[in-house]
Amino acid sequence: MPVIYDVSMRILSGIQPSGTMHIGNYLGAVKQWVDSQNPEAYYCVVDLHALTLEIEPAALREQTTDCVASLLAAGLDPEVCTLFIQSHVPFHAQLSWLLECVSSYGELSRMTQFKEKADRQEGYRVGLLTYPVLMAADILLYSAQQVPVGDDQRQHLELTRNVAERFNNRYGEIFTIPEGVHPPAAARVMDLQEPSRKMSKSISSPLGSIYVLDEPAEIEKKIKKAVTDTENEVRFDWETKPGLSNLLEIFSSFEGSSPEVIASRYTGYGALKSDLATLVIESLAPIAERYRELRSDPTAINAVVLHGDDKAAQVAGPVYRRAAAAMGLI
Ligand code: AMP
Ligand code: TRP
């Protein structure tokens, strides 16, 4: 597998505390965060983004702590990188407003994720439309050069670059233009039951998503029941075999070999599914175990976050103030 990170680069990424972490989040983003962590890496739980859809306050509170515990369990080391909560660093919301004033309604309303989410509800929140501007603020406040995210965030990254360039042209060179970094395999993990749709926290068929904290028996059942095709010929081909290709990419991401090499080892779906189930169970078990230990001590989690919030604010504050001053705020 190619090395995709230059660890001397400033990195920022975020994850919403809007549900339990699934293997799409893990393989598409979080595994990369762990591999690329260094003193220049900033990772945040984007609780403000979670408010763009209806969520119970009590659930958001719990899920935010769950999310921090999951990230630590997955391998983020707060002695190495900075892990913080978006809403605890007020500059995110403040810069978001400034950037809203250099973004257009047209470009925001063209975002695919906005259109999909807005289509599913009547009277959607304005925050759903402005969501990518807040994401741009998250990234630009840290002068991030690299943003490790799944494939679904490409468009938001492009918007961030456009907004940053527009700002710099109009008000002066304040922001670094970031680049999205996507994993070589499993950058878009699909729903196991509906391989035309991405695995998602918000909409998912009961057997469609594998969660990092799933019990082994559940993982096995979901993989065995994953939708494939009737050919029983193991070939990596997204066009004609999306279900199987999704399984091969998941396999590839956990194992490190290419999907084609893995495909060449099997002559039928049964053995492939059975080996994949073993691999996924073995890979996730240590994370689930660490999660349970960590989650039983919310005070320790809180201490990690407070430390991270403080470090994050020290970087974000000066950038915010430069941006505000450049726009004419006194
Ligand atoms: P979210 O849960 O929407 O906050 O996403 C957190 C991170 O996981 C982002 O970098 C997403 O791009 C990534 N992600 C979410 N769903 C998937 C998926 N099905 N496949 C790959 N990456 C994903
Ligand atoms: N929009 C991202 C998602 O849904 C989450 C996110 C918010 C993010 N802010 C970010 C990702 C900054 C990378 C950088 O997946």
Side-chain angles (χ1 to χ4, degrees):
M1 287 279 162
V3 176
I4 51 172
Y5 289 104
D6 176 345
V7 289
S8 63
M9 289 214 183
R10 176 64 67 79
I11 292 172
L12 179 124
S13 197
I15 182 168
Q16 298 187 63
S18 51
T20 338
M21 189 191 292
H22 52 65
I23 60 167
N25 301 129
Y26 178 65
L27 300 177
V30 174
K31 192 160 159 284
Q32 275 57 242
W33 301 8
V34 173
D35 294 344
S36 62
Q37 59 184 323
N38 75 85
E40 294 293 319
Y42 292 77
Y43 299 119
C44 59
V45 174
V46 293
D47 52 350
L48 296 174
H49 277 101
L51 295 174
T52 57
L53 297 176
E54 166 56 35
I55 184 165
E56 269 304 320
L60 180 55
R61 239 169 255 135
E62 279 303 296
Q63 286 169 198
T64 302
T65 308
D66 293 348
C67 193
V68 176
S70 303
L71 293 172
L72 295 171
L76 284 190
D77 180 352
E79 302 277 313
V80 174
C81 64
T82 303
L83 176 57
F84 68 101
I85 296 187
Q86 184 190 35
S87 70
H88 294 184
V89 180
F91 306 113
H92 291 244
Q94 287 178 281
L95 182 64
S96 186
W97 177 258
L98 302 190
L99 297 180
E100 277 185 38
C101 296
V102 290
S103 305
S104 75
Y105 174 80
E107 66 187 338
L108 294 182
S109 59
R110 280 195 296 275
M111 293 289 116
T112 311
Q113 188 176 298
F114 164 70
K115 287 193 278 187
E116 280 172 8
K117 289 188 178 174
D119 265 0
R120 292 204 295 270
Q121 58 196 301
E122 246 168 61
Y124 58 81
R125 300 174 178 195
V126 179
L128 197 61
L129 177 72
T130 55
Y131 171 119
V133 184
L134 178 59
M135 177 166 163
D138 298 340
I139 295 168
L140 299 177
L141 276 175
Y142 297 85
S143 309
Q145 293 154 295
Q146 296 198 323
V147 183
V149 278
D151 221 28
D152 60 334
Q153 297 302 312
R154 275 180 198 274
Q155 204 183 26
H156 291 161
L157 246 303
E158 207 42 51
L159 179 96
T160 301
R161 293 164 58 88
N162 291 340
V163 169
E165 272 162 13
R166 196 178 305 143
F167 186 102
N168 285 351
N169 286 336
R170 174 68 181 84
Y171 298 108
E173 293 288 319
I174 305 288
F175 297 127
T176 301
I177 309 300
E179 265 176 35
V181 185
H182 312 280
R188 183 181 289 257
V189 177
M190 308 309 278
D191 186 290
L192 299 182
Q193 289 297 310
E194 284 179 62
S196 58
R197 206 177 66 191
K198 74 169 181 182
M199 191 175 280
S200 138
K201 288 177 192 156
S202 44
I203 35 162
S204 146
S205 22
L207 294 172
S209 300
I210 295 177
Y211 297 98
V212 171
L213 304 176
D214 271 352
E215 292 295 330
E218 258 172 306
I219 296 175
E220 190 171 6
K221 181 166 140 199
K222 289 174 180 176
I223 292 178
K224 293 235 154 111
K225 292 198 181 250
V227 167
T228 48
D229 53 77
T230 51
E231 254 181 35
N232 208 33
E233 187 205 334
V234 183
R235 191 158 39 84
F236 183 56
D237 177 359
W238 275 103
E239 280 288 300
T240 57
K241 290 173 168 286
L244 184 75
S245 300
N246 191 34
L247 296 180
L248 285 168
E249 285 225 17
I250 295 170
F251 208 137
S252 163
S253 184
F254 275 112
E255 191 191 79
S257 335
S258 75
E260 290 87 356
V261 166
I262 295 162
S264 71
R265 299 206 299 255
Y266 293 94
T267 50
Y269 298 171
L272 169 85
K273 283 183 164 181
S274 165
D275 287 357
L276 176 59
T278 306
L279 177 64
V280 176
I281 290 166
E282 278 174 4
S283 308
L284 297 182
I287 301 179
E289 196 184 318
R290 274 197 301 275
Y291 173 85
R292 278 185 276 276
E293 277 169 32
L294 288 160
R295 190 64 182 88
S296 63
D297 189 356
T299 315
I301 296 177
N302 204 28
V304 166
V305 161
L306 286 178
H307 179 62
D309 295 344
D310 204 43
K311 279 167 72 189
Q314 285 176 34
V315 174
V319 177
Y320 170 73
R321 283 187 282 273
R322 285 174 63 214
M327 289 183 95
L329 303 180
I330 63 168

